[in-house]
Coordinates of all heavy atoms in Angstrom, one line a residue:
V1 N 16.8 -2.3 14.1 CA 16.0 -3.0 13.1 C 15.0 -3.9 13.7 O 15.3 -4.6 14.7 CB 17.0 -3.9 12.2 CG1 16.2 -4.7 11.2 CG2 17.9 -3.0 11.5
I2 N 13.8 -3.8 13.3 CA 12.7 -4.6 13.8 C 12.3 -5.7 12.8 O 12.3 -5.5 11.6 CB 11.4 -3.7 13.9 CG1 11.7 -2.6 14.9 CG2 10.2 -4.6 14.4 CD1 10.5 -1.6 15.0
T3 N 12.2 -6.9 13.3 CA 11.9 -8.0 12.4 C 10.4 -8.4 12.7 O 10.1 -8.7 13.8 CB 12.8 -9.2 12.6 OG1 14.1 -8.8 12.2 CG2 12.4 -10.4 11.6
I4 N 9.6 -8.5 11.6 CA 8.2 -8.9 11.8 C 8.0 -10.1 11.0 O 7.8 -10.2 9.8 CB 7.2 -7.8 11.2 CG1 7.5 -6.5 11.9 CG2 5.8 -8.2 11.4 CD1 6.7 -5.3 11.3
T5 N 8.2 -11.3 11.7 CA 8.1 -12.6 11.1 C 8.7 -12.7 9.7 O 7.9 -12.9 8.8 CB 6.6 -13.1 11.2 OG1 6.1 -12.8 12.5 CG2 6.6 -14.6 11.0
G6 N 10.0 -12.5 9.6 CA 10.6 -12.7 8.3 C 10.8 -11.4 7.5 O 11.5 -11.4 6.6
Q7 N 10.1 -10.3 7.9 CA 10.3 -9.1 7.2 C 11.2 -8.2 8.0 O 11.0 -8.1 9.2 CB 9.0 -8.4 7.0 CG 8.1 -9.0 5.9 CD 6.8 -8.2 5.7 OE1 6.3 -7.6 6.7 NE2 6.3 -8.2 4.6
T8 N 12.2 -7.6 7.4 CA 13.1 -6.6 8.1 C 12.6 -5.2 7.9 O 12.3 -4.9 6.8 CB 14.5 -6.8 7.7 OG1 15.0 -8.1 7.9 CG2 15.5 -5.9 8.4
A9 N 12.3 -4.5 9.0 CA 11.8 -3.1 8.8 C 12.8 -2.3 8.0 O 14.0 -2.6 8.0 CB 11.6 -2.5 10.2
D10 N 12.3 -1.3 7.4 CA 13.1 -0.3 6.6 C 13.6 -0.9 5.3 O 14.6 -0.4 4.7 CB 14.3 0.3 7.4 CG 13.8 1.0 8.6 OD1 12.7 1.6 8.6 OD2 14.4 0.9 9.6
S11 N 13.1 -2.0 4.8 CA 13.5 -2.6 3.5 C 12.6 -2.1 2.4 O 11.4 -2.1 2.6 CB 13.5 -4.1 3.6 OG 12.3 -4.6 4.0
V12 N 13.2 -1.6 1.3 CA 12.4 -1.0 0.3 C 12.1 -2.1 -0.7 O 13.0 -2.8 -1.2 CB 13.3 0.1 -0.5 CG1 12.5 0.7 -1.7 CG2 13.6 1.2 0.5
G13 N 10.8 -2.2 -1.0 CA 10.4 -3.3 -1.9 C 10.0 -2.8 -3.3 O 10.3 -1.6 -3.6
T14 N 9.6 -3.7 -4.1 CA 9.3 -3.3 -5.5 C 7.8 -3.3 -5.8 O 7.0 -4.1 -5.3 CB 10.0 -4.3 -6.4 OG1 9.6 -5.6 -6.2 CG2 11.5 -4.3 -6.3
V15 N 7.5 -2.4 -6.7 CA 6.1 -2.3 -7.2 C 6.3 -2.4 -8.8 O 7.1 -1.7 -9.4 CB 5.4 -1.0 -6.9 CG1 4.0 -0.9 -7.6 CG2 5.3 -0.8 -5.5
S16 N 5.6 -3.4 -9.4 CA 5.7 -3.5 -10.8 C 4.3 -3.7 -11.4 O 3.7 -4.6 -11.1 CB 6.6 -4.7 -11.1 OG 6.7 -4.9 -12.5
S17 N 3.9 -2.7 -12.2 CA 2.6 -2.7 -12.9 C 1.5 -2.9 -11.9 O 0.5 -3.6 -12.1 CB 2.5 -3.9 -13.9 OG 3.5 -3.7 -14.9
G18 N 1.7 -2.2 -10.7 CA 0.6 -2.2 -9.7 C 0.8 -3.4 -8.7 O 0.0 -3.4 -7.7
V19 N 1.6 -4.3 -8.9 CA 1.8 -5.4 -8.0 C 2.8 -5.1 -6.9 O 4.0 -4.8 -7.2 CB 2.3 -6.7 -8.8 CG1 2.5 -7.9 -7.8 CG2 1.3 -7.1 -9.9
V20 N 2.3 -5.1 -5.7 CA 3.2 -4.8 -4.5 C 3.6 -6.1 -3.9 O 2.7 -6.9 -3.4 CB 2.4 -4.0 -3.5 CG1 3.2 -3.7 -2.2 CG2 1.9 -2.6 -4.1
D21 N 4.8 -6.5 -4.1 CA 5.3 -7.8 -3.6 C 5.9 -7.7 -2.3 O 6.9 -7.2 -2.0 CB 6.4 -8.3 -4.6 CG 6.9 -9.7 -4.3 OD1 6.5 -10.3 -3.2 OD2 7.7 -10.3 -5.1
L22 N 5.1 -8.2 -1.3 CA 5.4 -8.0 0.1 C 6.7 -8.8 0.5 O 7.2 -8.6 1.6 CB 4.2 -8.4 1.0 CG 3.0 -7.5 0.7 CD1 1.8 -8.0 1.6 CD2 3.3 -6.1 0.9
S23 N 7.0 -9.8 -0.3 CA 8.3 -10.6 0.0 C 9.6 -9.7 -0.2 O 10.6 -10.1 0.3 CB 8.4 -11.9 -0.8 OG 8.6 -11.6 -2.1
T24 N 9.4 -8.6 -0.9 CA 10.6 -7.8 -1.2 C 10.8 -6.6 -0.3 O 11.8 -5.9 -0.4 CB 10.5 -7.2 -2.6 OG1 9.3 -6.3 -2.7 CG2 10.3 -8.3 -3.7
G25 N 9.9 -6.4 0.6 CA 10.1 -5.3 1.6 C 8.9 -4.8 2.3 O 7.8 -5.5 2.2
N26 N 8.9 -3.7 3.0 CA 7.7 -3.2 3.7 C 7.5 -1.7 3.5 O 6.7 -1.1 4.1 CB 7.8 -3.6 5.2 CG 9.0 -3.0 5.9 OD1 9.8 -2.3 5.3 ND2 9.2 -3.5 7.1
Y27 N 8.3 -1.2 2.6 CA 8.2 0.3 2.1 C 8.2 0.2 0.6 O 9.1 -0.3 0.0 CB 9.2 1.2 2.7 CG 9.2 2.6 2.1 CD1 8.3 3.5 2.6 CD2 9.9 2.9 1.0 CE1 8.2 4.8 2.0 CE2 9.8 4.1 0.4 CZ 8.9 5.1 0.9 OH 8.9 6.3 0.3
F28 N 7.2 0.9 0.0 CA 7.1 0.9 -1.4 C 6.8 2.3 -1.9 O 6.1 3.0 -1.3 CB 6.0 -0.1 -1.9 CG 6.1 -1.5 -1.4 CD1 5.7 -1.9 -0.2 CD2 6.8 -2.4 -2.2 CE1 5.9 -3.2 0.3 CE2 7.0 -3.7 -1.8 CZ 6.5 -4.1 -0.6
S29 N 7.3 2.6 -3.1 CA 7.1 3.9 -3.7 C 6.8 3.7 -5.1 O 7.4 2.9 -5.9 CB 8.4 4.7 -3.6 OG 8.2 6.1 -4.1
D30 N 5.7 4.3 -5.6 CA 5.2 4.2 -6.9 C 4.9 5.6 -7.5 O 4.4 6.4 -6.9 CB 4.0 3.3 -7.0 CG 3.6 2.8 -8.3 OD1 4.5 2.7 -9.3 OD2 2.4 2.4 -8.6
A31 N 5.3 5.8 -8.8 CA 5.0 7.0 -9.5 C 4.3 6.7 -10.8 O 4.9 6.8 -11.9 CB 6.3 7.7 -9.8
P32 N 3.0 6.3 -10.7 CA 2.3 5.9 -12.0 C 2.0 7.2 -12.9 O 1.8 8.3 -12.3 CB 1.0 5.3 -11.4 CG 0.8 5.9 -10.1 CD 2.2 6.1 -9.6
S33 N 1.9 6.9 -14.1 CA 1.6 8.0 -15.1 C 0.2 7.8 -15.6 O -0.3 8.6 -16.4 CB 2.6 8.0 -16.2 OG 2.6 6.8 -16.9
S34 N -0.5 6.7 -15.2 CA -1.9 6.5 -15.7 C -2.6 5.7 -14.5 O -1.9 5.3 -13.6 CB -1.9 5.7 -17.0 OG -1.3 4.5 -16.8
N35 N -3.9 5.5 -14.7 CA -4.7 4.8 -13.7 C -4.0 3.5 -13.4 O -3.4 2.8 -14.2 CB -6.1 4.5 -14.2 CG -6.9 5.8 -14.4 OD1 -6.5 6.9 -13.9 ND2 -7.9 5.7 -15.1
V36 N -4.1 3.1 -12.1 CA -3.4 1.9 -11.6 C -4.3 1.1 -10.8 O -5.1 1.6 -10.0 CB -2.1 2.2 -11.0 CG1 -2.3 3.0 -9.7 CG2 -1.3 0.9 -10.6
T37 N -4.2 -0.3 -11.0 CA -5.0 -1.2 -10.1 C -3.9 -2.0 -9.3 O -3.1 -2.7 -9.9 CB -5.8 -2.2 -11.0 OG1 -6.8 -1.5 -11.7 CG2 -6.5 -3.2 -10.1
Y38 N -3.9 -1.8 -8.0 CA -2.9 -2.5 -7.1 C -3.4 -3.8 -6.7 O -4.6 -4.1 -6.6 CB -2.7 -1.6 -5.9 CG -1.9 -0.4 -6.2 CD1 -2.4 0.9 -6.1 CD2 -0.5 -0.5 -6.4 CE1 -1.7 2.0 -6.4 CE2 0.3 0.7 -6.7 CZ -0.4 1.9 -6.7 OH 0.4 3.0 -6.9
S39 N -2.4 -4.7 -6.5 CA -2.6 -6.0 -6.0 C -1.5 -6.2 -5.0 O -0.3 -5.7 -5.2 CB -2.7 -7.1 -7.0 OG -1.5 -7.2 -7.7
F40 N -1.7 -6.9 -3.9 CA -0.7 -7.2 -2.9 C -0.4 -8.8 -3.0 O -1.4 -9.6 -2.8 CB -1.2 -6.8 -1.5 CG -1.7 -5.4 -1.5 CD1 -2.8 -5.1 -0.6 CD2 -1.1 -4.4 -2.2 CE1 -3.2 -3.8 -0.5 CE2 -1.6 -3.1 -2.1 CZ -2.6 -2.8 -1.2
T41 N 0.9 -9.1 -3.1 CA 1.2 -10.5 -3.2 C 2.2 -10.9 -2.1 O 2.9 -10.0 -1.5 CB 1.8 -10.8 -4.5 OG1 3.1 -10.1 -4.7 CG2 0.9 -10.5 -5.7
N42 N 2.2 -12.2 -1.8 CA 3.2 -12.8 -0.8 C 3.1 -12.2 0.6 O 4.2 -11.9 1.2 CB 4.6 -12.6 -1.4 CG 4.7 -13.4 -2.7 OD1 4.3 -14.5 -2.9 ND2 5.3 -12.7 -3.7
P43 N 2.0 -12.1 1.2 CA 1.9 -11.6 2.6 C 2.4 -12.8 3.5 O 2.5 -13.9 3.1 CB 0.4 -11.4 2.9 CG -0.2 -12.3 1.9 CD 0.6 -12.4 0.7
I44 N 2.8 -12.4 4.8 CA 3.2 -13.4 5.7 C 1.9 -14.3 6.0 O 0.8 -13.8 5.9 CB 3.6 -12.6 7.0 CG1 4.9 -11.8 6.7 CG2 3.9 -13.6 8.1 CD1 6.1 -12.6 6.4
A45 N 2.2 -15.5 6.4 CA 1.1 -16.5 6.7 C 0.2 -16.0 7.8 O 0.6 -15.2 8.6 CB 1.7 -17.8 7.0
S46 N -1.0 -16.5 7.7 CA -2.0 -16.2 8.8 C -1.4 -16.4 10.2 O -0.7 -17.4 10.4 CB -3.2 -17.1 8.5 OG -4.2 -16.7 9.4
G47 N -1.8 -15.5 11.1 CA -1.3 -15.6 12.4 C -0.1 -14.7 12.7 O 0.2 -14.5 13.9
S48 N 0.5 -14.1 11.6 CA 1.5 -13.2 11.8 C 1.1 -11.9 11.1 O 0.1 -11.9 10.3 CB 2.9 -13.7 11.2 OG 3.3 -14.8 11.9
V49 N 1.8 -10.8 11.3 CA 1.4 -9.6 10.7 C 2.3 -9.1 9.5 O 3.5 -9.2 9.7 CB 1.4 -8.4 11.8 CG1 1.1 -7.1 11.1 CG2 0.4 -8.7 12.8
S50 N 1.7 -8.8 8.4 CA 2.4 -8.1 7.3 C 1.9 -6.7 7.3 O 0.7 -6.4 7.2 CB 2.0 -8.7 5.9 OG 2.7 -9.9 5.7
A51 N 2.8 -5.7 7.5 CA 2.5 -4.3 7.5 C 3.4 -3.6 6.5 O 4.6 -3.9 6.4 CB 2.6 -3.7 8.9
F52 N 2.8 -2.7 5.8 CA 3.7 -2.0 4.8 C 3.2 -0.6 4.5 O 2.0 -0.3 4.8 CB 3.8 -2.8 3.5 CG 2.6 -3.0 2.8 CD1 2.2 -2.2 1.7 CD2 1.7 -4.1 3.1 CE1 1.1 -2.4 1.0 CE2 0.5 -4.3 2.4 CZ 0.2 -3.5 1.4
I53 N 4.0 0.3 4.0 CA 3.7 1.6 3.5 C 3.9 1.7 2.0 O 4.8 1.1 1.5 CB 4.7 2.6 4.2 CG1 4.5 2.6 5.8 CG2 4.5 4.0 3.7 CD1 5.6 3.3 6.5
L54 N 2.9 2.4 1.4 CA 3.0 2.7 0.0 C 2.9 4.1 -0.3 O 1.9 4.8 0.1 CB 1.9 1.9 -0.8 CG 1.7 2.2 -2.2 CD1 2.9 1.8 -3.0 CD2 0.4 1.5 -2.7
K55 N 3.9 4.8 -0.8 CA 3.9 6.2 -1.1 C 3.6 6.2 -2.7 O 4.2 5.6 -3.5 CB 5.3 6.8 -0.9 CG 5.3 8.3 -1.3 CD 6.6 8.9 -1.0 CE 7.5 8.7 -2.2 NZ 8.8 9.5 -2.1
V56 N 2.6 7.0 -3.1 CA 2.2 7.2 -4.4 C 2.4 8.6 -4.9 O 1.8 9.5 -4.2 CB 0.7 6.8 -4.6 CG1 0.3 6.9 -6.1 CG2 0.5 5.3 -4.2
T57 N 3.1 8.8 -5.9 CA 3.4 10.2 -6.5 C 3.2 10.1 -8.0 O 4.1 9.9 -8.7 CB 4.9 10.6 -6.2 OG1 5.1 10.5 -4.8 CG2 5.1 12.1 -6.5
P58 N 2.0 10.3 -8.4 CA 1.7 10.3 -9.8 C 2.2 11.5 -10.6 O 2.3 12.6 -10.0 CB 0.2 10.1 -9.9 CG -0.3 10.8 -8.6 CD 0.8 10.6 -7.6
S59 N 2.4 11.2 -11.9 CA 2.8 12.3 -12.8 C 1.7 12.8 -13.6 O 1.9 13.6 -14.5 CB 3.9 11.9 -13.7 OG 3.5 10.8 -14.5
A60 N 0.4 12.4 -13.3 CA -0.8 12.9 -13.9 C -1.9 12.7 -13.0 O -1.8 12.0 -12.0 CB -1.0 12.1 -15.2
L61 N -3.1 13.3 -13.2 CA -4.3 13.0 -12.5 C -4.7 11.6 -12.8 O -5.0 11.2 -13.9 CB -5.4 14.0 -12.8 CG -6.7 13.7 -12.1 CD1 -6.5 13.9 -10.6 CD2 -7.8 14.7 -12.6
I62 N -4.7 10.7 -11.8 CA -5.0 9.3 -11.9 C -6.1 8.8 -10.9 O -6.4 9.5 -10.0 CB -3.7 8.4 -11.8 CG1 -3.2 8.5 -10.4 CG2 -2.7 8.9 -12.8 CD1 -2.2 7.5 -10.1
S63 N -6.6 7.6 -11.2 CA -7.4 6.9 -10.3 C -6.7 5.7 -9.8 O -5.9 5.0 -10.5 CB -8.7 6.4 -11.0 OG -9.5 7.5 -11.4
L64 N -6.8 5.4 -8.5 CA -6.2 4.2 -7.9 C -7.4 3.2 -7.6 O -8.4 3.6 -7.1 CB -5.5 4.6 -6.6 CG -4.5 5.7 -6.6 CD1 -3.9 5.9 -5.2 CD2 -3.3 5.3 -7.6
T65 N -7.1 2.0 -8.0 CA -8.1 0.9 -7.6 C -7.3 0.0 -6.7 O -6.2 -0.5 -7.0 CB -8.5 0.2 -8.9 OG1 -9.1 1.1 -9.8 CG2 -9.5 -0.9 -8.6
W66 N -8.0 -0.4 -5.6 CA -7.4 -1.2 -4.6 C -8.0 -2.6 -4.6 O -9.1 -2.8 -5.0 CB -7.6 -0.5 -3.2 CG -7.1 0.9 -3.1 CD1 -7.7 2.0 -3.2 CD2 -5.7 1.3 -3.0 NE1 -6.9 3.1 -3.2 CE2 -5.6 2.6 -3.0 CE3 -4.5 0.5 -2.8 CZ2 -4.4 3.4 -2.8 CZ3 -3.3 1.2 -2.7 CH2 -3.3 2.6 -2.7
P67 N -7.3 -3.6 -4.0 CA -7.9 -4.9 -3.9 C -9.1 -4.9 -3.1 O -9.3 -4.1 -2.2 CB -6.7 -5.7 -3.2 CG -5.5 -4.9 -3.4 CD -5.9 -3.5 -3.5
A68 N -10.1 -5.8 -3.5 CA -11.3 -5.9 -2.8 C -11.1 -6.3 -1.3 O -12.0 -6.0 -0.5 CB -12.2 -6.9 -3.5
S69 N -10.0 -6.9 -1.0 CA -9.7 -7.4 0.3 C -9.3 -6.2 1.3 O -9.2 -6.4 2.5 CB -8.5 -8.4 0.3 OG -7.4 -7.8 -0.3
V70 N -9.2 -5.0 0.8 CA -8.8 -3.9 1.6 C -10.1 -3.3 2.3 O -11.1 -2.9 1.6 CB -8.1 -2.7 0.9 CG1 -7.9 -1.5 1.8 CG2 -6.8 -3.3 0.3
V71 N -10.1 -3.2 3.6 CA -11.1 -2.5 4.4 C -10.5 -1.1 4.8 O -9.4 -1.1 5.4 CB -11.4 -3.3 5.7 CG1 -12.4 -2.6 6.6 CG2 -11.9 -4.7 5.3
W72 N -11.2 -0.1 4.4 CA -10.7 1.3 4.7 C -11.2 1.9 6.0 O -12.3 1.5 6.4 CB -11.0 2.3 3.5 CG -10.3 1.9 2.4 CD1 -10.7 1.1 1.3 CD2 -8.9 2.2 2.1 NE1 -9.7 1.0 0.4 CE2 -8.6 1.6 0.8 CE3 -8.0 3.0 2.7 CZ2 -7.3 1.8 0.2 CZ3 -6.7 3.1 2.1 CH2 -6.4 2.5 0.9
S73 N -10.5 2.7 6.6 CA -10.8 3.3 7.9 C -12.1 4.0 7.9 O -12.8 4.0 8.9 CB -9.7 4.2 8.4 OG -9.5 5.3 7.5
N74 N -12.5 4.7 6.9 CA -13.8 5.4 6.8 C -14.9 4.6 6.0 O -15.9 5.2 5.6 CB -13.6 6.8 6.3 CG -12.9 7.6 7.2 OD1 -13.0 7.6 8.4 ND2 -12.0 8.5 6.6
G75 N -14.6 3.4 5.6 CA -15.5 2.6 4.9 C -15.5 2.8 3.4 O -16.1 2.0 2.7
S76 N -14.6 3.6 2.9 CA -14.5 3.7 1.5 C -13.0 4.2 1.1 O -12.4 4.9 2.0 CB -15.4 4.7 0.9 OG -15.3 6.0 1.4
A77 N -12.5 3.9 0.0 CA -11.2 4.2 -0.4 C -11.0 5.7 -0.5 O -12.0 6.4 -0.9 CB -10.8 3.5 -1.7
P78 N -9.8 6.2 -0.3 CA -9.6 7.7 -0.5 C -9.8 8.1 -1.9 O -9.8 7.3 -2.8 CB -8.1 7.9 -0.1 CG -7.8 6.6 0.7 CD -8.7 5.5 0.2
N79 N -9.9 9.4 -2.1 CA -10.1 10.1 -3.4 C -8.8 9.8 -4.3 O -7.8 9.4 -3.8 CB -10.3 11.5 -3.3 CG -11.6 11.8 -2.6 OD1 -12.6 11.1 -2.7 ND2 -11.7 13.0 -1.9
T80 N -9.0 10.1 -5.6 CA -7.9 10.0 -6.6 C -6.8 10.9 -6.2 O -7.0 11.9 -5.5 CB -8.4 10.2 -8.0 OG1 -9.0 11.5 -8.0 CG2 -9.4 9.2 -8.4
T81 N -5.6 10.7 -6.8 CA -4.5 11.5 -6.5 C -4.2 12.4 -7.7 O -4.4 12.0 -8.8 CB -3.3 10.7 -6.1 OG1 -3.0 9.8 -7.2 CG2 -3.5 9.9 -4.9
G82 N -3.7 13.6 -7.4 CA -3.4 14.5 -8.5 C -1.9 14.5 -8.9 O -1.1 14.0 -8.2
S83 N -1.6 15.1 -10.0 CA -0.2 15.1 -10.5 C 0.7 15.8 -9.5 O 0.5 16.9 -9.0 CB -0.2 15.9 -11.8 OG 1.1 15.9 -12.4
G84 N 1.8 15.1 -9.2 CA 2.8 15.6 -8.3 C 2.4 15.5 -6.8 O 3.2 15.8 -6.0
E85 N 1.2 15.1 -6.5 CA 0.7 15.0 -5.2 C 1.4 13.8 -4.5 O 1.4 12.7 -5.2 CB -0.8 14.9 -5.2 CG -1.4 14.9 -3.8 CD -3.0 15.0 -4.0 OE1 -3.5 15.8 -4.6 OE2 -3.5 14.0 -3.5
V86 N 1.8 13.9 -3.3 CA 2.4 12.8 -2.6 C 1.4 12.3 -1.6 O 0.9 13.0 -0.7 CB 3.7 13.2 -1.9 CG1 4.2 12.0 -1.0 CG2 4.7 13.6 -2.8
D87 N 0.9 11.1 -1.7 CA 0.0 10.4 -0.9 C 0.6 9.1 -0.2 O 1.3 8.4 -1.0 CB -1.3 10.0 -1.6 CG -2.1 11.2 -2.0 OD1 -2.0 12.3 -1.4 OD2 -2.9 11.1 -2.9
V88 N 0.4 9.0 1.0 CA 1.0 7.9 1.8 C -0.1 7.0 2.3 O -1.0 7.5 3.0 CB 2.0 8.4 2.9 CG1 2.5 7.2 3.6 CG2 3.1 9.2 2.3
F89 N 0.0 5.7 2.1 CA -1.0 4.7 2.6 C -0.3 3.7 3.4 O 0.9 3.3 3.1 CB -1.6 4.0 1.4 CG -2.3 5.0 0.5 CD1 -1.6 5.5 -0.7 CD2 -3.6 5.4 0.7 CE1 -2.2 6.4 -1.5 CE2 -4.2 6.3 -0.2 CZ -3.5 6.8 -1.3
V90 N -1.0 3.2 4.5 CA -0.5 2.1 5.3 C -1.5 1.0 5.3 O -2.7 1.2 5.4 CB -0.3 2.7 6.8 CG1 0.2 1.6 7.7 CG2 0.7 3.8 6.8
F91 N -0.9 -0.2 5.2 CA -1.8 -1.4 5.2 C -1.2 -2.5 6.1 O 0.0 -2.5 6.3 CB -1.8 -2.0 3.8 CG -2.3 -1.1 2.7 CD1 -1.4 -0.3 2.0 CD2 -3.6 -1.1 2.4 CE1 -1.9 0.6 1.1 CE2 -4.1 -0.2 1.4 CZ -3.2 0.6 0.8
Y92 N -2.1 -3.3 6.7 CA -1.6 -4.5 7.4 C -2.7 -5.6 7.3 O -3.8 -5.4 7.0 CB -1.3 -4.2 8.9 CG -2.5 -4.1 9.8 CD1 -3.0 -5.2 10.5 CD2 -3.2 -2.9 10.0 CE1 -4.1 -5.1 11.3 CE2 -4.3 -2.8 10.8 CZ -4.7 -3.9 11.5 OH -5.8 -3.8 12.3
T93 N -2.2 -6.8 7.4 CA -3.0 -8.0 7.4 C -2.4 -8.9 8.4 O -1.3 -9.0 8.7 CB -3.0 -8.7 6.0 OG1 -3.9 -9.8 6.1 CG2 -1.7 -9.1 5.5
Q94 N -3.3 -9.7 9.1 CA -2.9 -10.7 10.0 C -3.5 -12.0 9.7 O -3.4 -13.0 10.5 CB -3.3 -10.2 11.4 CG -4.8 -10.1 11.7 CD -5.1 -9.6 13.1 OE1 -4.2 -8.9 13.7 NE2 -6.3 -9.8 13.5
D95 N -4.2 -12.1 8.5 CA -4.8 -13.4 8.2 C -4.3 -13.9 6.8 O -5.0 -14.4 6.0 CB -6.3 -13.3 8.2 CG -6.8 -12.2 7.3 OD1 -6.1 -11.6 6.5 OD2 -8.0 -11.9 7.4
G96 N -3.0 -13.6 6.5 CA -2.4 -14.1 5.3 C -2.9 -13.4 4.0 O -2.8 -13.9 2.9
G97 N -3.5 -12.2 4.2 CA -3.9 -11.4 3.0 C -5.4 -11.6 2.7 O -5.9 -11.0 1.8
T98 N -6.2 -12.3 3.5 CA -7.6 -12.4 3.2 C -8.2 -11.0 3.4 O -9.0 -10.6 2.7 CB -8.2 -13.4 4.2 OG1 -7.6 -14.7 4.0 CG2 -9.8 -13.5 4.0
T99 N -7.8 -10.3 4.5 CA -8.2 -8.9 4.7 C -7.1 -8.0 5.0 O -6.2 -8.4 5.8 CB -9.2 -8.9 5.9 OG1 -10.3 -9.8 5.7 CG2 -9.7 -7.5 6.2
Y100 N -7.0 -6.9 4.3 CA -6.0 -5.9 4.6 C -6.8 -4.7 5.2 O -7.8 -4.3 4.7 CB -5.3 -5.4 3.3 CG -4.4 -6.4 2.8 CD1 -4.8 -7.3 1.8 CD2 -3.0 -6.4 3.2 CE1 -3.9 -8.2 1.3 CE2 -2.1 -7.3 2.6 CZ -2.5 -8.2 1.7 OH -1.7 -9.1 1.2
Y101 N -6.2 -4.0 6.2 CA -6.7 -2.8 6.7 C -5.9 -1.7 6.2 O -4.7 -1.7 6.3 CB -6.7 -2.9 8.3 CG -7.6 -3.9 8.8 CD1 -7.2 -5.2 9.1 CD2 -9.0 -3.7 9.0 CE1 -8.0 -6.2 9.5 CE2 -9.9 -4.7 9.4 CZ -9.3 -6.0 9.7 OH -10.2 -6.9 10.1
G102 N -6.5 -0.7 5.6 CA -5.9 0.4 4.9 C -6.2 1.8 5.4 O -7.3 2.0 5.9
F103 N -5.2 2.6 5.5 CA -5.4 3.9 6.1 C -4.5 4.9 5.2 O -3.5 4.6 4.8 CB -4.8 3.9 7.5 CG -5.3 2.9 8.4 CD1 -4.7 1.6 8.5 CD2 -6.4 3.1 9.2 CE1 -5.2 0.6 9.3 CE2 -6.9 2.2 10.0 CZ -6.3 0.9 10.1
Q104 N -5.1 6.0 4.9 CA -4.3 7.0 4.3 C -3.6 7.9 5.4 O -4.2 8.6 6.1 CB -5.3 8.0 3.4 CG -4.4 8.9 2.6 CD -5.2 9.7 1.6 OE1 -6.4 9.8 1.7 NE2 -4.6 10.2 0.6
A105 N -2.3 7.7 5.4 CA -1.5 8.4 6.4 C -1.2 9.8 6.1 O -1.0 10.6 7.0 CB -0.3 7.6 6.7
G106 N -1.2 10.1 4.8 CA -0.9 11.5 4.4 C -1.6 11.8 3.0 O -1.5 10.9 2.1
D107 N -2.1 13.0 2.9 CA -2.8 13.4 1.7 C -2.2 14.7 1.2 O -2.0 15.6 1.9 CB -4.2 13.6 1.9 CG -5.0 14.0 0.7 OD1 -4.6 13.6 -0.4 OD2 -6.0 14.7 0.8
D108 N -1.7 14.7 -0.1 CA -1.1 15.8 -0.7 C 0.0 16.4 0.1 O 0.1 17.6 0.5 CB -2.1 16.9 -1.0 CG -1.6 17.9 -2.0 OD1 -0.5 17.8 -2.5 OD2 -2.3 19.0 -2.1
M109 N 1.0 15.5 0.4 CA 2.1 15.9 1.2 C 3.2 16.6 0.4 O 4.4 16.7 0.9 CB 2.7 14.7 2.0 CG 1.6 14.1 2.9 SD 2.2 12.6 3.7 CE 3.4 13.3 4.9
S110 N 2.9 17.0 -0.8 CA 4.0 17.6 -1.6 C 4.3 19.0 -1.2 O 3.7 19.7 -0.4 CB 3.5 17.6 -3.1 OG 2.2 18.1 -3.2

């Protein structure tokens, strides 16, 4: 088990109405049935790292909207996800959530 300043690795957190609560874990799974706007709450304080994985498996063709604080690896957010498609995203912040770095780790892994 790896501890990252108060977060225990391999803990499954909760997503509720697009809110990813980082105080509840570092792995999240969401299965939205309509467009979703995500927000990230309760990151570790500035100077430490909050890193987490979000697996999205929608039951319809949807659009994902990400917080404005996310900087993507290619300069823009990934495309929308299709019904039954499994997409995996990785995020981290080291400044208390002012900036998150986002990466799509897997696309259509179904």
